[in-house]
Amino acid sequence: QYQQAYDGPPLGPFGKKPARLVGSQPLPGILGGQVRLPPGRGLAVLESPLVRAPLVQQRARETDFLLVHRERGTRENTMCVHRLESLFVVGQAEPLLEVCTPSSRQCAFKRKALIRQMVREVRRRTRRPTGDRQRSFDDNAIDDVKGWWSAHDSHTVRQECKESIKAADDKDGQPAVVPEDVCVLESMERGMRRLRALGISEDRFAFDKNFKGAVEDLEELEGRRASNEQPLAWRARWMMEQLQLTPWNITREYAEVMKGRRRQFAVAGPGDPSGSWGQAVSLLRAPPGGAAECLETAALQQLDDERLLEELLKAGVSEQRLRCLGRWDRLALLRDLGVLPPSERTI
């Protein structure tokens, strides 16, 4: 897709003719129609049932190559070198499919359908014995299916497998499983494993307005105190931000912004996949009346690591405390302290 007259090379890897945009027409589908190209510029868009992302062609150097490892069986291993004729870089992806929350009925339905489909495939591809060996065959099928799921869900998967084996002969009414359902469940599983690794219990996996309100009340309460020997507000905010970054929350926030006309992306802050450098867009919703806070966060993200460390040390933060904080945690701490460099107060 391009703006006005475009005389450049083909935009995508297939050399298709781009669609022409009229006047100040935005790029359809990219960030809710909030992106516009300058005259004479073009952009390819990669779209699938799962994601949509900009596609930019780069010039491949003569020294660039792709090394492919092929494994056939246990004895044959080959290495192939492929020359790169063309090179494309995929930009930030936008989710087109919402990831269900772990405690939702939709998640339970998709997981149940997928487990039963896996059991049917194992039984179909394996020669079924008769007589006394039938029970051991079913146990092996269950073990094969359990290997694809985390150990935390072992009991649930085993129960679903047993129910599926009992109803194996009843093929009518079996829910169909599409590849998109598998991708949704894999994304949800990765999000759950990440929260468990951070020490967040499963009864706190969902993010809602009540949790956000409790964090804000705690921050206000500790702000009134003259001294806090063991502050809890920054810990609660860290936990809230981790819940905001789950796949089910980001995809839901993106879908609500795309549906609502008066809702906008936060752009800056938590959810920036560039590592809080301001080179990507946070797909979380901007809070009502929070434009000033988003601009302030965007200004802070322009600081490099050395300048950020210098400002925090000037504000009286000890090096021992900063040693265990990442870039975004340091930016949030500087924002909470309210000590902004004069040159960073405006964008």
Side-chain angles (χ1 to χ4, degrees), residues 33-296:
Q34 302 180 22
V35 179
R36 291 175 172 80
L37 293 176
R41 298 291 299 274
L43 180 67
V45 178
L46 173 67
E47 186 169 340
S48 72
L50 298 174
V51 296
R52 181 191 297 118
L55 195 65
V56 181
Q57 185 175 8
Q58 302 290 333
R59 180 178 299 178
R61 297 174 295 182
E62 297 181 354
T63 56
D64 292 339
F65 63 91
L66 183 63
L67 182 62
V68 180
H69 173 239
R70 295 179 180 177
E71 181 178 354
R72 297 178 180 177
T74 58
R75 298 182 178 180
E76 185 178 355
N77 291 321
T78 58
M79 305 290 288
C80 301
V81 178
H82 294 270
R83 180 179 297 175
L84 295 181
E85 301 294 340
S86 58
L87 186 64
F88 293 86
V89 178
V90 182
Q92 181 178 358
E94 302 178 44
L96 302 182
L97 205 59
E98 188 171 344
V99 178
C100 51
T101 57
S103 58
S104 64
R105 293 183 178 179
Q106 184 183 11
C107 171
F109 177 80
K110 290 181 180 293
R111 176 180 292 185
K112 183 177 182 179
L114 179 58
I115 293 175
R116 296 197 171 192
Q117 177 68 23
M118 295 173 69
V119 172
R120 291 196 298 268
E121 287 295 323
V122 171
R123 291 167 63 88
R124 183 179 64 84
R125 298 184 181 185
T126 308
R127 186 176 179 180
R128 298 179 58 184
T130 58
D132 297 337
R133 297 183 179 180
Q134 177 65 35
R135 182 175 181 181
S136 61
F137 170 78
D138 293 338
D139 292 338
N140 292 335
I142 293 176
D143 293 338
D144 291 340
V145 175
K146 285 172 55 180
W148 291 92
W149 298 84
S150 63
H152 190 272
D153 302 323
S154 176
H155 179 71
T156 304
V157 174
R158 187 174 185 85
Q159 290 297 117
E160 292 292 345
C161 289
K162 289 183 177 180
E163 293 181 8
S164 179
I165 292 175
K166 292 180 181 179
D169 297 332
D170 184 15
K171 297 183 179 179
D172 297 334
Q174 294 288 350
V177 178
V178 296
E180 289 79 5
D181 293 335
V182 179
C183 295
V184 166
L185 290 176
E186 286 184 348
S187 177
M188 185 200 67
E189 289 290 336
R190 286 195 296 268
M192 293 173 63
R193 286 197 298 266
R194 177 178 175 272
L195 292 180
R196 293 192 191 107
L198 294 174
I200 299 178
S201 58
E202 292 196 22
D203 56 346
R204 291 288 183 267
F205 278 1
F207 172 77
D208 53 18
K209 295 181 180 179
N210 295 331
F211 188 89
K212 183 179 180 180
V215 173
E216 293 175 351
D217 293 342
L218 181 60
E219 291 177 338
E220 182 179 358
L221 177 62
E222 291 189 353
R224 296 176 182 176
R225 296 179 179 177
S227 61
N228 292 315
E229 297 181 357
Q230 296 181 349
L232 299 177
W234 66 274
R235 302 180 186 179
R237 175 165 289 275
W238 173 85
M239 182 175 176
M240 181 185 70
E241 291 174 352
Q242 302 308 316
L243 295 178
Q244 287 180 304
L245 299 180
T246 55
W248 48 88
N249 185 70
I250 291 179
T251 54
R252 183 177 64 249
E253 295 270 286
Y254 174 84
E256 292 186 3
V257 172
M258 297 295 288
K259 293 178 183 178
R261 296 182 178 180
R262 297 184 179 181
R263 298 175 179 175
Q264 295 180 344
F265 294 113
V267 181
D272 180 1
S274 67
S276 302
W277 287 98
Q279 299 175 355
V281 176
S282 173
L283 299 181
L284 299 178
R285 285 183 299 169
E293 181 180 352
C294 293
L295 291 174
E296 181 180 310

